[in-house]
Amino acid sequence: MKSEMLLPKVLIPEAKIKERIHDLASEISFDYRGKDVTAICVLKGSFVFFADLIREIDLPMACEFMGLSSYGNKTTSSGEVKVTLDLTEPLSGKHVIIIEDIVDSGLTMQYLLNNLNARKPASLKVCSLLFKPEQLKSDIKLDYVGFKLGSEFVVGYGLDHAGRYRQLPYIGVIENERH
């Protein structure tokens, strides 16, 4: 028996996400044609997006995983970034794409870009499924963006609130915080 929980209101439906991922993968495949790519999944929230995106990209590719945390169980970033899992392979001379679920304040992404640039990749680009330009507190450039959002707190499709809602096939907004 499934426990009852109030499901978040659909903001971006599954079909729209799939369509946008196909378009992003086409752009990336075109931009990197003839090159090997190292795709870095930023854990935990990006794992669903990462899996769907890399299957659509038509390039030779290595996959790496990096764990970062700046939220804890809160709905806003603490600004303090913790590395919870580091890469297993060097990036020197490689074409690297960071695959992120959401960029809001940009502080976590700025930390990650500084960290990875220090490892001397041949190129470093960012692909984020979601972007909140109004929340940006850091001067960063996103190369590929799925959807721009306002300030709403979103869950689903890998994104969570206190470990919940990652399994939803859509991006949703929690309207009632009684859970």
Side-chain angles (χ1 to χ4, degrees), residues 119-132:
R119 301 177 196 212
K120 308 285 186 237
S123 67
L124 181 60
K125 290 190 176 185
V126 178
C127 177
S128 184
L129 177 62
L130 305 171
F131 177 43
K132 295 181 175 182

Side-chain angles (χ1 to χ4, degrees), residues 56 114 121 178:
E56 293 270 339
N114 291 343
R178 289 183 306 133

Side-chain angles (χ1 to χ4, degrees), residues 111-179:
Y111 172 88
L112 184 55
L113 287 166
N114 291 343
N115 182 301
L116 297 180
N117 268 318
R119 301 177 196 212
K120 308 285 186 237
S123 67
L124 181 60
K125 290 190 176 185
V126 178
C127 177
S128 184
L129 177 62
L130 305 171
F131 177 43
K132 295 181 175 182
E134 295 166 17
Q135 305 288 103
L136 205 58
K137 294 177 182 161
S138 186
D139 185 24
I140 59 167
K141 177 182 175 273
L142 302 180
D143 303 282
Y144 309 97
V145 174
F147 302 94
K148 289 183 180 176
L149 302 177
S151 61
E152 59 269 41
F153 185 78
V154 292
V155 296
Y157 199 71
L159 289 94
D160 76 307
H161 175 56
R164 298 173 66 193
Y165 305 110
R166 289 190 198 278
Q167 79 284 5
L168 298 176
Y170 62 88
I171 303 291
V173 178
I174 301 172
E175 293 182 309
N176 185 345
E177 280 290 317
R178 289 183 306 133
H179 48 156

Side-chain angles (χ1 to χ4, degrees), residues 70-85:
S70 68
Y71 277 77
N73 286 336
K74 296 181 173 59
T75 59
T76 57
S77 174
S78 67
E80 210 175 290
V81 180
K82 287 189 261 182
V83 175
T84 58
L85 177 70

Side-chain angles (χ1 to χ4, degrees), residues 14-160:
E14 182 178 11
K16 198 169 179 183
I17 294 169
K18 285 181 178 180
E19 181 182 308
R20 187 65 186 122
I21 286 173
H22 178 77
D23 293 345
L24 287 169
S26 295
E27 279 183 62
I28 292 167
S29 297
F30 179 81
D31 290 351
Y32 283 91
R33 66 192 174 282
K35 298 177 179 153
D36 285 0
V37 170
T38 298
I40 298 176
C41 177
V42 181
L43 297 173
K44 295 180 184 174
S46 301
F47 77 99
V48 176
F49 174 48
F50 182 83
D52 287 348
L53 181 66
I54 65 168
R55 288 184 297 212
E56 293 270 339
I57 295 173
D58 186 21
L59 296 168
M61 185 181 308
C63 297
E64 281 287 327
F65 299 87
M66 191 158 189
L68 298 174
S69 175
S70 68
Y71 277 77
N73 286 336
K74 296 181 173 59
T75 59
T76 57
S77 174
S78 67
E80 210 175 290
V81 180
K82 287 189 261 182
V83 175
T84 58
L85 177 70
D86 206 349
L87 307 175
T88 58
E89 295 293 322
L91 297 181
S92 182
K94 296 180 179 178
H95 297 284
V96 176
I97 303 174
I98 300 167
I99 311 296
E100 179 65 292
D101 55 352
I102 188 166
V103 174
D104 47 25
S105 72
L107 298 173
T108 300
M109 185 53 65
Q110 186 64 63
Y111 172 88
L112 184 55
L113 287 166
N114 291 343
N115 182 301
L116 297 180
N117 268 318
R119 301 177 196 212
K120 308 285 186 237
S123 67
L124 181 60
K125 290 190 176 185
V126 178
C127 177
S128 184
L129 177 62
L130 305 171
F131 177 43
K132 295 181 175 182
E134 295 166 17
Q135 305 288 103
L136 205 58
K137 294 177 182 161
S138 186
D139 185 24
I140 59 167
K141 177 182 175 273
L142 302 180
D143 303 282
Y144 309 97
V145 174
F147 302 94
K148 289 183 180 176
L149 302 177
S151 61
E152 59 269 41
F153 185 78
V154 292
V155 296
Y157 199 71
L159 289 94
D160 76 307

